[in-house]
Amino acid sequence: MSVMQSGTQMVKLKSGTKGLVRLFYLDEHRTCIRWRPSRKSEKAKIVIDSIYKVTEGRQSEIFHRHAEGNFDPSCCFTIYHGSHLESLDLITSNPEEARTWITGLKYLMAGISDEDSLAKRQRTHDHWVKQTFEEADKNGDGLLNIEEIHQLMHKLNVNLPRRKVRQMFQEADTDENQGTLNFEEFSVFYKMMSLRRDLYLLLLSYSDKKDHLTVEELAQFLKVEQKVNNVTPEYCLDIIQKFEVSEENKKQNVLGIEGFTNFMRSPACDIFNPLHCEVHQDMDQPLCNYFIASSHNTYLTGDQLLSQSRVEMYARVLQDGCRCIEVDCWDGPDGEPVVHHGYTLTSKILFRDVAETINKYAFIKNEFPVILSIENHCSIQQQKKIAQYLKEIFGDKLDLSSVLTGDSRQLPSPQNLKGKILVKGKKLPCSLGADAEEGEVSEEDSADEIEDDCKLKPCYSNGATEHQVESFIRTKLESLIKESQIRDKEDTDSFTVRALLKATHEGLNVNLKQNLDTKESGKKSHSRSLMGNFGKHKVSKTRESVCCSRSGSTGYVLLPAQAWCVWGHRLARRKKTVKLCRALSDLVVYTNSVAAQDIVDDGSTGNVLSFSETRAHQAVQQKAEQFMLYNQKQLTRVYPSAYRIDSSNFNPLPYWNVGCQLVALNYQSEGRVMQLNEAKFRVNGNCGYVLKPQQMCKGTFNPYSADPLPASPKKQLILKIISGQQLPKPPDSMLGDRGEIIDPFVEVEMIGLPVDCCKDQTRVVDDNGFNPVWEETLTFTIHMPEIALVRFLVWDHDPIGRDFVGQRTLAFSSLVPGYRHVYLEGMTEASIFVHITINEIYGKWSPLILNPSYTILHFLGATKNKQLIGLRGLFNKNPKHNSAETSGPYVRKRSIGDRILRRTASAPAKGRKKSKMGFPEATEIKDSASEPVDLKDKEGVVRRTSRSLQARPASMPVDKYLLVGPTCPEDETAQDAKGKENASGKILMQIFK
């Protein structure tokens, strides 16, 4: 560690360059690797937490590109880090230095993985405070003067009077060096600045207005508010010893405000149920009764057209909990099958390397089965090689002869299949003789879903090189991805790639047509400008043909030498078949990949129906209940459209809502969809298997009904958004830390069945991202809580829009009642403080009937209906103005140009005064005769418009007791749900009839 902290001169290898000599060192907290010199300055670092793997020798792609370099392998190593497995390739001057760094990094990584959640939270907090101090210390003298403190206040979104800041500065400045703060003094200053008024009032309410909690008072708080069972004095004493800072308080067995704050901000008071960090669901049910975490084109690190294929991606997704991975197999040189994305320019990796990586990482985090989804495009000879490698490498993991189901018509359970690998692929038909070594099977895999006239295939002519064409495509693809990122981060479907893929091909034609063969120069070209096709396009329901220059009836577009051409014949309507060898077919057990037209009602189990998102969408829209019945017997896999060349993801909710088990997503793409996927599978120890609700496993219901489960009780979530802590400026703010202090508000989105999908939001707090206070209650009713997700989003309000600050998404079933912190993902300190109450409701008056202790004031005070708000005015002299505002107008979705303007205006120049949109504080309840209107956005999500965003002073007092009562539900009628039992073949035929 000391050698690493003192620093080592190493060569940083990069593609296209000879390498850069830099000094690499481990920071004093052992939390990140830094290097200098660097143009990134403070951002030139790799956090140890983000390191995925360290490999020795010259194994990475960058080293392979520099094959001519005379590097000693014992001096080379690679650090893979980040969600996209970026590589840092380093060369030391001698083997001893390389060994020191490799050993040291692996030691640090192991220590972090073994660290408990409390220790990790404390370590990250300490590191954040130290890093904040270092970044504020502009001249690097280890001291902060008052001007540097003021600049830091602005960066941290703190809007305090300069007089107040100077007063705290002077109180913290206790050493002889007056006028500056060292790190210890800064820590005191930061604690003074961070004093939580909301937590202090909460402590007072349970301590009889003392500044500390006794053991008995702490036990009362845990029982009443946090709903902790079996609270013992020993448990309370342990909390005091673990979180209290003052030694005097520890001796007296009391918890002061600083210790109480530490406890409330610890994992013990996180919103996520700690029991869900482990597998806790029944794992003995058939596979079809589980949602299974699934990846699409697992090997890709980026887009579907030009990105790199890496075996490390298999290691990453398997350890992230994915249990169904995809392997696209193609004929490779020297008889060795390769894995890559067909008809594209993605790089190739050996199938054998992929199999070895899967074998190594499949069961490190959990032993539940892995499904290997093989898309076979190989010749018979190389298929036999694939089968040989699978048997050699996986061995007994493929042997399913000992797996007992108890019922031949029922799939085995995840528990029965522990440690096993299932091969999903084509199987030779039973009609073929057992002695036949090969036969024909249908082919409808995702690589062939793309229209033939949009596939890239090599052809030969005179002109530009393959490199020039690839460069052209890369430029256009970067333009596509850049423009797609301009859109609102929460709008996943505003960009369709089909038209842009089409435009890419047409653009190739236009830009290279001068190199066409002279005898074809007279032919009419139907190509259009590439740039004219850029923009937003809606998905067309009809399969459009791509306009392209063709040579007679040959079906080829004549492009330059070593370029890529468009294959013009359309074969989509004709059923394709491929040759399949017996050795590969025999490895397929329980996971036989079939197409809809191949389903027969023979009572067999183990079929996996594969859909593209387009066809699956049609099935969901037309025959949702029949589709759900099919998914009670068999497995269904839904994968992204081949036109999503930027590796964007579709909305998985409609397919989860009808019980589709294998909803395959592009794990290499960050964003809303992957956050939903992560939240869904985190609920069961992130093991990749989540049990479907019982109503999805037996019987049926209409997920699109206004009351899909009338006989079942509903859940009511009463969510009080109290305050925020250390909310940063938007990550894409143009002026970064120099931008204006944010005006935050919180949006909460409920995600699940269509009837449950809605959004609600708080008012805006003006000029305070450090400790804003909202004190607002949002109420939601959930018909099927088992599949519901809750999404917390923080936005920065701006006169012409809003900017995304951060989010956290959780399964509804993982919420813990009481006072909880919601930490925003990817941020060390940023959080929202909330109070959660969950009720079970049956009818309109159930809160009063089930709990007579609720008074009419509790009942009325928690209700958001306008009629009841009007009644509440009879009891309260100063009712809250915001709860009964007139609904604001529905805002139309902005265009790309508007978004660019919004991004530009979101961080005004220094000195420019912000104008706020909103209404003045109301003193009386306005007309409350009408119900609030629920409006649907483009995704069909109800956005409640019962109030508009309002500016609110940050100094508004906090409610002393912060208590919330339940709300009154609407009338619900109870009906008996009758299940419909049909054979799987008949059901599917009805779906596609």
Side-chain angles (χ1 to χ4, degrees), residues 209-228:
K209 299 183 181 179
K210 303 189 301 294
D211 63 353
H212 62 264
L213 290 170
T214 64
V215 170
E216 294 75 17
E217 291 164 345
L218 178 58
Q220 181 72 0
F221 169 75
L222 294 174
K223 291 174 186 175
V224 174
E225 292 297 347
Q226 306 302 83
K227 309 299 181 188
V228 179

PDB file of all heavy atoms in Angstrom, residues 209-228:
ATOM      1  N   LYS A 209     -38.653  16.629  24.949  1.00  0.00           N
ATOM      2  CA  LYS A 209     -37.991  17.924  24.710  1.00  0.00           C
ATOM      3  C   LYS A 209     -36.594  18.009  25.309  1.00  0.00           C
ATOM      4  O   LYS A 209     -36.074  19.104  25.549  1.00  0.00           O
ATOM      5  CB  LYS A 209     -38.868  19.067  25.222  1.00  0.00           C
ATOM      6  CG  LYS A 209     -40.219  19.130  24.513  1.00  0.00           C
ATOM      7  CD  LYS A 209     -41.057  20.297  24.974  1.00  0.00           C
ATOM      8  CE  LYS A 209     -42.397  20.299  24.244  1.00  0.00           C
ATOM      9  NZ  LYS A 209     -43.254  21.410  24.674  1.00  0.00           N
ATOM     10  N   LYS A 210     -35.948  16.846  25.519  1.00  0.00           N
ATOM     11  CA  LYS A 210     -34.531  16.852  25.899  1.00  0.00           C
ATOM     12  C   LYS A 210     -33.685  16.780  24.629  1.00  0.00           C
ATOM     13  O   LYS A 210     -34.201  16.541  23.538  1.00  0.00           O
ATOM     14  CB  LYS A 210     -34.211  15.654  26.805  1.00  0.00           C
ATOM     15  CG  LYS A 210     -35.056  15.579  28.068  1.00  0.00           C
ATOM     16  CD  LYS A 210     -34.532  14.504  28.993  1.00  0.00           C
ATOM     17  CE  LYS A 210     -34.532  13.125  28.360  1.00  0.00           C
ATOM     18  NZ  LYS A 210     -35.863  12.600  28.060  1.00  0.00           N
ATOM     19  N   ASP A 211     -32.368  16.975  24.757  1.00  0.00           N
ATOM     20  CA  ASP A 211     -31.495  16.929  23.581  1.00  0.00           C
ATOM     21  C   ASP A 211     -30.874  15.549  23.379  1.00  0.00           C
ATOM     22  O   ASP A 211     -29.867  15.404  22.718  1.00  0.00           O
ATOM     23  CB  ASP A 211     -30.393  17.991  23.683  1.00  0.00           C
ATOM     24  CG  ASP A 211     -29.473  17.761  24.869  1.00  0.00           C
ATOM     25  OD1 ASP A 211     -29.769  16.854  25.690  1.00  0.00           O
ATOM     26  OD2 ASP A 211     -28.460  18.471  24.981  1.00  0.00           O
ATOM     27  N   HIS A 212     -31.493  14.528  23.988  1.00  0.00           N
ATOM     28  CA  HIS A 212     -30.991  13.167  23.816  1.00  0.00           C
ATOM     29  C   HIS A 212     -32.115  12.167  24.059  1.00  0.00           C
ATOM     30  O   HIS A 212     -33.161  12.499  24.641  1.00  0.00           O
ATOM     31  CB  HIS A 212     -29.820  12.888  24.769  1.00  0.00           C
ATOM     32  CG  HIS A 212     -30.204  12.997  26.216  1.00  0.00           C
ATOM     33  ND1 HIS A 212     -29.992  14.157  26.939  1.00  0.00           N
ATOM     34  CD2 HIS A 212     -30.807  12.116  27.070  1.00  0.00           C
ATOM     35  CE1 HIS A 212     -30.440  13.982  28.179  1.00  0.00           C
ATOM     36  NE2 HIS A 212     -30.937  12.748  28.286  1.00  0.00           N
ATOM     37  N   LEU A 213     -31.898  10.925  23.584  1.00  0.00           N
ATOM     38  CA  LEU A 213     -32.854   9.843  23.787  1.00  0.00           C
ATOM     39  C   LEU A 213     -32.277   8.836  24.783  1.00  0.00           C
ATOM     40  O   LEU A 213     -31.118   8.412  24.649  1.00  0.00           O
ATOM     41  CB  LEU A 213     -33.143   9.116  22.475  1.00  0.00           C
ATOM     42  CG  LEU A 213     -33.954   9.854  21.403  1.00  0.00           C
ATOM     43  CD1 LEU A 213     -33.922   9.052  20.095  1.00  0.00           C
ATOM     44  CD2 LEU A 213     -35.390  10.063  21.847  1.00  0.00           C
ATOM     45  N   THR A 214     -33.069   8.453  25.768  1.00  0.00           N
ATOM     46  CA  THR A 214     -32.657   7.368  26.657  1.00  0.00           C
ATOM     47  C   THR A 214     -32.917   6.039  25.953  1.00  0.00           C
ATOM     48  O   THR A 214     -33.524   5.987  24.881  1.00  0.00           O
ATOM     49  CB  THR A 214     -33.458   7.414  27.974  1.00  0.00           C
ATOM     50  OG1 THR A 214     -34.839   7.183  27.673  1.00  0.00           O
ATOM     51  CG2 THR A 214     -33.286   8.774  28.654  1.00  0.00           C
ATOM     52  N   VAL A 215     -32.502   4.948  26.572  1.00  0.00           N
ATOM     53  CA  VAL A 215     -32.720   3.619  25.998  1.00  0.00           C
ATOM     54  C   VAL A 215     -34.214   3.358  25.822  1.00  0.00           C
ATOM     55  O   VAL A 215     -34.649   2.849  24.780  1.00  0.00           O
ATOM     56  CB  VAL A 215     -32.079   2.539  26.904  1.00  0.00           C
ATOM     57  CG1 VAL A 215     -32.500   1.145  26.447  1.00  0.00           C
ATOM     58  CG2 VAL A 215     -30.561   2.664  26.887  1.00  0.00           C
ATOM     59  N   GLU A 216     -35.007   3.730  26.835  1.00  0.00           N
ATOM     60  CA  GLU A 216     -36.456   3.492  26.746  1.00  0.00           C
ATOM     61  C   GLU A 216     -37.086   4.336  25.642  1.00  0.00           C
ATOM     62  O   GLU A 216     -37.975   3.865  24.907  1.00  0.00           O
ATOM     63  CB  GLU A 216     -37.123   3.805  28.096  1.00  0.00           C
ATOM     64  CG  GLU A 216     -36.726   2.884  29.234  1.00  0.00           C
ATOM     65  CD  GLU A 216     -35.318   3.180  29.765  1.00  0.00           C
ATOM     66  OE1 GLU A 216     -34.797   4.288  29.479  1.00  0.00           O
ATOM     67  OE2 GLU A 216     -34.738   2.302  30.437  1.00  0.00           O
ATOM     68  N   GLU A 217     -36.649   5.589  25.513  1.00  0.00           N
ATOM     69  CA  GLU A 217     -37.220   6.475  24.487  1.00  0.00           C
ATOM     70  C   GLU A 217     -36.815   6.023  23.085  1.00  0.00           C
ATOM     71  O   GLU A 217     -37.622   6.072  22.149  1.00  0.00           O
ATOM     72  CB  GLU A 217     -36.761   7.912  24.738  1.00  0.00           C
ATOM     73  CG  GLU A 217     -37.378   8.518  25.991  1.00  0.00           C
ATOM     74  CD  GLU A 217     -36.653   9.768  26.466  1.00  0.00           C
ATOM     75  OE1 GLU A 217     -35.504  10.012  26.012  1.00  0.00           O
ATOM     76  OE2 GLU A 217     -37.226  10.503  27.295  1.00  0.00           O
ATOM     77  N   LEU A 218     -35.586   5.563  22.951  1.00  0.00           N
ATOM     78  CA  LEU A 218     -35.145   5.035  21.657  1.00  0.00           C
ATOM     79  C   LEU A 218     -35.953   3.792  21.289  1.00  0.00           C
ATOM     80  O   LEU A 218     -36.370   3.636  20.124  1.00  0.00           O
ATOM     81  CB  LEU A 218     -33.653   4.702  21.710  1.00  0.00           C
ATOM     82  CG  LEU A 218     -33.048   4.079  20.445  1.00  0.00           C
ATOM     83  CD1 LEU A 218     -33.239   4.987  19.236  1.00  0.00           C
ATOM     84  CD2 LEU A 218     -31.556   3.781  20.659  1.00  0.00           C
ATOM     85  N   ALA A 219     -36.214   2.921  22.276  1.00  0.00           N
ATOM     86  CA  ALA A 219     -37.008   1.721  22.024  1.00  0.00           C
ATOM     87  C   ALA A 219     -38.423   2.091  21.590  1.00  0.00           C
ATOM     88  O   ALA A 219     -38.994   1.483  20.674  1.00  0.00           O
ATOM     89  CB  ALA A 219     -37.051   0.839  23.275  1.00  0.00           C
ATOM     90  N   GLN A 220     -38.986   3.122  22.213  1.00  0.00           N
ATOM     91  CA  GLN A 220     -40.334   3.570  21.849  1.00  0.00           C
ATOM     92  C   GLN A 220     -40.358   4.097  20.407  1.00  0.00           C
ATOM     93  O   GLN A 220     -41.287   3.800  19.641  1.00  0.00           O
ATOM     94  CB  GLN A 220     -40.780   4.664  22.830  1.00  0.00           C
ATOM     95  CG  GLN A 220     -42.177   5.210  22.584  1.00  0.00           C
ATOM     96  CD  GLN A 220     -43.265   4.222  22.952  1.00  0.00           C
ATOM     97  OE1 GLN A 220     -42.983   3.110  23.403  1.00  0.00           O
ATOM     98  NE2 GLN A 220     -44.517   4.612  22.759  1.00  0.00           N
ATOM     99  N   PHE A 221     -39.346   4.860  20.035  1.00  0.00           N
ATOM    100  CA  PHE A 221     -39.253   5.387  18.666  1.00  0.00           C
ATOM    101  C   PHE A 221     -39.162   4.239  17.656  1.00  0.00           C
ATOM    102  O   PHE A 221     -39.836   4.252  16.616  1.00  0.00           O
ATOM    103  CB  PHE A 221     -38.031   6.299  18.542  1.00  0.00           C
ATOM    104  CG  PHE A 221     -37.700   6.688  17.140  1.00  0.00           C
ATOM    105  CD1 PHE A 221     -38.454   7.631  16.460  1.00  0.00           C
ATOM    106  CD2 PHE A 221     -36.623   6.100  16.480  1.00  0.00           C
ATOM    107  CE1 PHE A 221     -38.154   7.977  15.150  1.00  0.00           C
ATOM    108  CE2 PHE A 221     -36.311   6.446  15.172  1.00  0.00           C
ATOM    109  CZ  PHE A 221     -37.082   7.392  14.503  1.00  0.00           C
ATOM    110  N   LEU A 222     -38.343   3.235  17.952  1.00  0.00           N
ATOM    111  CA  LEU A 222     -38.165   2.118  17.027  1.00  0.00           C
ATOM    112  C   LEU A 222     -39.454   1.313  16.874  1.00  0.00           C
ATOM    113  O   LEU A 222     -39.785   0.860  15.776  1.00  0.00           O
ATOM    114  CB  LEU A 222     -37.029   1.215  17.508  1.00  0.00           C
ATOM    115  CG  LEU A 222     -35.624   1.830  17.499  1.00  0.00           C
ATOM    116  CD1 LEU A 222     -34.632   0.877  18.147  1.00  0.00           C
ATOM    117  CD2 LEU A 222     -35.181   2.172  16.090  1.00  0.00           C
ATOM    118  N   LYS A 223     -40.173   1.133  17.962  1.00  0.00           N
ATOM    119  CA  LYS A 223     -41.408   0.354  17.897  1.00  0.00           C
ATOM    120  C   LYS A 223     -42.517   1.116  17.172  1.00  0.00           C
ATOM    121  O   LYS A 223     -43.165   0.590  16.272  1.00  0.00           O
ATOM    122  CB  LYS A 223     -41.881  -0.007  19.313  1.00  0.00           C
ATOM    123  CG  LYS A 223     -41.010  -0.998  20.055  1.00  0.00           C
ATOM    124  CD  LYS A 223     -41.497  -1.155  21.503  1.00  0.00           C
ATOM    125  CE  LYS A 223     -40.553  -2.027  22.317  1.00  0.00           C
ATOM    126  NZ  LYS A 223     -40.969  -2.072  23.755  1.00  0.00           N
ATOM    127  N   VAL A 224     -42.729   2.365  17.581  1.00  0.00           N
ATOM    128  CA  VAL A 224     -43.868   3.125  17.078  1.00  0.00           C
ATOM    129  C   VAL A 224     -43.655   3.587  15.645  1.00  0.00           C
ATOM    130  O   VAL A 224     -44.534   3.417  14.791  1.00  0.00           O
ATOM    131  CB  VAL A 224     -44.152   4.329  17.998  1.00  0.00           C
ATOM    132  CG1 VAL A 224     -45.249   5.216  17.412  1.00  0.00           C
ATOM    133  CG2 VAL A 224     -44.537   3.851  19.386  1.00  0.00           C
ATOM    134  N   GLU A 225     -42.506   4.172  15.372  1.00  0.00           N
ATOM    135  CA  GLU A 225     -42.283   4.780  14.063  1.00  0.00           C
ATOM    136  C   GLU A 225     -41.644   3.826  13.062  1.00  0.00           C
ATOM    137  O   GLU A 225     -42.077   3.728  11.930  1.00  0.00           O
ATOM    138  CB  GLU A 225     -41.401   6.033  14.206  1.00  0.00           C
ATOM    139  CG  GLU A 225     -42.067   7.172  14.938  1.00  0.00           C
ATOM    140  CD  GLU A 225     -43.298   7.709  14.215  1.00  0.00           C
ATOM    141  OE1 GLU A 225     -43.490   7.372  13.035  1.00  0.00           O
ATOM    142  OE2 GLU A 225     -44.075   8.442  14.836  1.00  0.00           O
ATOM    143  N   GLN A 226     -40.596   3.139  13.487  1.00  0.00           N
ATOM    144  CA  GLN A 226     -39.838   2.317  12.547  1.00  0.00           C
ATOM    145  C   GLN A 226     -40.409   0.907  12.407  1.00  0.00           C
ATOM    146  O   GLN A 226     -39.921   0.132  11.582  1.00  0.00           O
ATOM    147  CB  GLN A 226     -38.362   2.232  12.977  1.00  0.00           C
ATOM    148  CG  GLN A 226     -37.677   3.576  13.189  1.00  0.00           C
ATOM    149  CD  GLN A 226     -37.699   4.455  11.956  1.00  0.00           C
ATOM    150  OE1 GLN A 226     -38.679   5.145  11.700  1.00  0.00           O
ATOM    151  NE2 GLN A 226     -36.626   4.419  11.177  1.00  0.00           N
ATOM    152  N   LYS A 227     -41.427   0.585  13.205  1.00  0.00           N
ATOM    153  CA  LYS A 227     -42.103  -0.713  13.140  1.00  0.00           C
ATOM    154  C   LYS A 227     -41.136  -1.882  13.304  1.00  0.00           C
ATOM    155  O   LYS A 227     -41.253  -2.918  12.654  1.00  0.00           O
ATOM    156  CB  LYS A 227     -42.864  -0.860  11.810  1.00  0.00           C
ATOM    157  CG  LYS A 227     -43.782   0.296  11.469  1.00  0.00           C
ATOM    158  CD  LYS A 227     -44.866   0.498  12.511  1.00  0.00           C
ATOM    159  CE  LYS A 227     -45.792   1.651  12.131  1.00  0.00           C
ATOM    160  NZ  LYS A 227     -46.741   1.990  13.221  1.00  0.00           N
ATOM    161  N   VAL A 228     -40.149  -1.707  14.182  1.00  0.00           N
ATOM    162  CA  VAL A 228     -39.175  -2.764  14.457  1.00  0.00           C
ATOM    163  C   VAL A 228     -39.763  -3.706  15.501  1.00  0.00           C
ATOM    164  O   VAL A 228     -40.259  -3.268  16.543  1.00  0.00           O
ATOM    165  CB  VAL A 228     -37.836  -2.177  14.954  1.00  0.00           C
ATOM    166  CG1 VAL A 228     -36.841  -3.292  15.256  1.00  0.00           C
ATOM    167  CG2 VAL A 228     -37.261  -1.215  13.925  1.00  0.00           C
TER     168      VAL A 228
END
